[in-house]
Structure formats: C-alpha cells, structure tokens
Amino acid sequence: MPAFFRATARVELRCSRGTGGLTPDAPLKEAIAAWAQQARLALPMGQDGWSPWLAAAESARQGGKTAAELAARVMLAEADLRPDAEQLASIDRGLVVAQDASLPPAVRNAARVLLTAHRVDIITSAKQSSRVTLRDTRSYPALQALATEPAIAADPLARNASMLLALPRRPLPADQANVTAVLQRVAADADLPAHHPLRQFALLRLANQAASQGQLDEAQRLFAQTGLTQEQCALIGPKPALTAINTGSTAFPMDAARWGFEGWVRSEYDILADGHTAGLRAVASYPPFVFDDAAHSMLAKARYQASYRPENGAACSANRETIRFNIPGNTMVAKEIKKKS
C-alpha cells in the first residue's frame, strides 16, 4: 500500500484464537529472542509491523552494534512487507553480519538458517504464479546444503531445523523417499530431547504418512511418541499441505473487479483430519468487507492433505491464511511514486 494512504486507510480487524502452529523455524526464533533478551539488546520487542525492526537494524548498523543488528535483521525478515529487492538486501546484510566471530556460534547458526530460509522463499516465490499452492510441493536445496556445513552440522538445533525447512510439505512422488529419510533421521536424533518440538514435528509428519498408506498401527505408535494430546496436536502440530483451492478469475468478486479494487483477507479456520475446513472467519481484511465473502467461499472449498488423529479430531486449529486479490495490469490502483535519485 502506498505510504500516502496508510494514515487514512481502514482495515477490518477481529481477535484471533490461535497462537500459531509448530514450524521448524520456531525453536530458532525462540533461541534468538532469548539471547537478545539475555544480552539486553536495544530492540523494539512487542512492537507490531516491520518498520520498528528496520529502524532498529539501521540504527545498530550505524552504531556498530553487531549483535543488535543481527537480531533486528532476523526479526525484520519475519515481518517485512517491503518489495522483494529491499527484503533481500536486508537479508543479505544479515547473512554478512552472521559471519562475525564475536557472536555466539549458536546464534550465528540460527540466524543463518532463518535468513537463508526467508531468502530462498522470496526468490522461489517470485518465480511462481501462486504463493499459496505451489510452495507446498517445492524443496529448498540451499537449506539442504546449509545443513551439511560443518558449523551447522555440529549444531543439533540448526542442523535439524535446516533439514526440516528444506522439505516440501506435500512431496512429489520422486521426493517421497528422501523426505521420509530426513524425517526419520530427525525423529531418531539422539542430540534432541525426547519431546523436543523438532522431533515432534518429524514424528507427526511420519504418522500422517503412515496413516495415508493404511498403516494405522504404525501411525498410532508414532503419534504416541510425540507425547502430545490430540488437542495439543491440533494447536501446535505441523500444518497440513494445501492440495486444492480455486484461485481463478471466477473467485474474484464481480463488483470489485468492475471498480478495479484490489485487497487481501487474513482468514482463520480449523483444518479437519479429513482435509476439509471448518469454522471460517476473517480476522483482518483490506478494504474492509469487500473481499470477505469471496475469501470465505474459496477457503470453504479448499482441501488439505489428510492427517492422522487417533480420535479423528481437528488436524490444525486456528490456522491462518492470507488470500490476496490482485488484477493483472490494473491501472486503477494507486501506486507509490518515488523520487528519482
């Protein structure tokens, strides 16, 4: 959204009941945040949006505060909404800072994995027509290679997170054997505590895979090893991969198309064990109310991979997804005009 319009724009917001599911990068983010707090770094903790983190990163850079800059670059990458080129410039700067030997090795490793994951996601997404469906089937060779580097390979947290982040959520048949081998390796890694989130993530994916092949006893065994209840699993378990959703022109509201309106809707919903969605509701949208019904219709018909749950409960509670409604070549949307340098 052009900066001129941000001060007067109206955005529809509602409370969310979710805390975010388990993802392989979560333990790395927690490690960075804990280190930053322990080191008492001057960071905008608790502030929303990407601009405070950008300001903190640039201020730390100018002041020669390497630790604060690295933490800010990592946090910025998570929230950054700027154009891809500007995001990549900040990430590349963060990767340079992460080479500083004065920083703790575990922090440097975690930052490298997180920043590399964001970098390859931006680059790969720019080459795809959809950021919602195609990302589920692709893998990340750069993260696979990173996991084998000596410093990362010697760090159980960074190594296992990098290997899991490199995997596609919905593997193609040619990738399935490698995905299974990686998940089994993480699930059996003696360097991780018994109920570590990364081990739980791997076990749940293996349980889902076993159930999809009709091996219900094996799925039950793997699920039991996580130490999670079905309710906990629905809240923090890995999100099932999206298998079908209508993103064609028929999903775009006719009135909005006639007026040249573009926007987005952030929706929250449960994903059931059979892959259907339930409890759909918009939690944020722009412009208000324009695209809510269209997003609801799209997600109501969306389908996800089936997941194993002992009592067939929800596979994922309070999942959140952003649907963007764009018109290619639209000339009726205000663009930000920048001064020539």
Side-chain angles (χ1 to χ4, degrees):
M1 185 190 304
F4 177 80
F5 295 97
R6 290 176 192 156
T8 57
R10 295 181 60 199
V11 177
E12 176 189 356
L13 296 173
R14 294 189 180 96
C15 293
S16 168
R17 60 187 177 87
T19 57
L22 174 63
T23 57
D25 58 357
L28 299 179
K29 296 175 188 175
E30 292 171 4
I32 294 282
W35 164 71
Q37 184 176 15
Q38 184 178 15
R40 297 183 178 180
L41 302 180
L43 297 170
M45 293 295 189
Q47 295 190 32
D48 295 328
W50 55 267
S51 54
W53 291 107
L54 176 60
E58 293 302 325
S59 176
R61 180 178 186 176
Q62 293 174 6
K65 300 176 181 178
T66 306
E69 183 183 358
L70 180 61
R73 296 286 177 194
V74 172
M75 301 299 183
L76 173 61
E78 179 68 18
D80 209 343
L81 296 177
R82 296 177 297 162
D84 288 355
E86 295 178 43
Q87 293 187 47
L88 289 172
S90 178
I91 289 172
D92 288 344
R93 169 61 187 173
L95 289 170
V96 171
V97 176
Q99 301 295 329
D100 192 323
S102 67
L103 298 172
V107 171
R108 296 166 56 197
N109 294 338
R112 289 184 64 201
V113 173
L114 289 171
L115 291 171
T116 300
H118 283 295
R119 191 178 197 285
V120 296
D121 188 44
I122 292 171
I123 293 174
T124 309
S125 295
K127 299 177 182 178
Q128 304 284 8
S129 59
S130 170
R131 294 196 179 197
V132 178
T133 55
L134 295 181
R135 66 181 302 165
D136 284 344
T137 61
R138 69 178 182 233
S139 58
Y140 296 93
L143 285 163
Q144 294 171 349
L146 186 62
T148 64
E149 290 190 13
I152 303 295
D155 184 330
L157 185 62
R159 178 183 70 243
N160 285 294
S162 187
M163 288 193 297
L164 291 175
L165 286 168
L167 299 179
R169 288 194 297 184
R170 182 162 60 95
L172 298 172
D175 299 326
Q176 188 61 66
N178 176 64
V179 169
T180 300
V182 171
L183 292 173
Q184 291 174 338
R185 179 180 174 184
V186 175
D189 194 330
D191 292 330
L192 294 176
H195 293 156
H196 191 277
L198 294 181
R199 188 191 303 278
Q200 291 173 330
F201 183 95
L203 287 168
L204 286 171
R205 284 199 56 173
L206 287 170
N208 292 343
Q209 180 178 307
S212 70
Q213 297 170 353
Q215 302 171 12
L216 298 184
D217 289 343
E218 176 66 5
Q220 174 65 44
R221 184 187 70 82
L222 292 165
F223 186 92
Q225 288 184 34
T226 67
L228 297 170
T229 66
Q230 182 167 273
E231 291 73 18
Q232 290 173 322
C233 208
L235 285 171
I236 69 171
K239 174 185 171 182
L242 184 65
T243 59
I245 188 171
N246 177 20
T247 57
S249 59
T250 57
F252 205 103
M254 292 297 295
D255 289 342
R258 279 194 293 267
W259 285 96
F261 285 176
E262 296 184 345
W264 50 264
V265 179
R266 180 77 161 167
S267 296
E268 181 177 281
Y269 51 95
D270 296 338
I271 302 173
L272 304 181
D274 63 3
H276 287 69
T277 59
L280 279 157
R281 58 195 291 269
V283 294
S285 65
Y286 170 82
F289 313 114
V290 174
F291 295 103
D292 290 20
D293 290 343
H296 187 284
S297 178
M298 291 171 63
L299 293 171
K301 299 175 183 177
R303 295 295 178 265
Y304 288 81
Q305 272 188 323
S307 301
Y308 175 75
R309 295 295 180 268
E311 300 174 13
N312 206 36
C316 181
S317 294
N319 177 68
R320 289 185 290 272
E321 193 73 70
T322 300
I323 304 294
R324 293 178 174 84
F325 294 86
N326 298 322
I327 304 174
N330 187 13
T331 60
M332 299 179 69
V333 176
K335 304 295 183 183
E336 186 169 10
I337 301 176
K338 297 183 178 180
K339 294 181 179 179
K340 294 183 179 180
S341 57

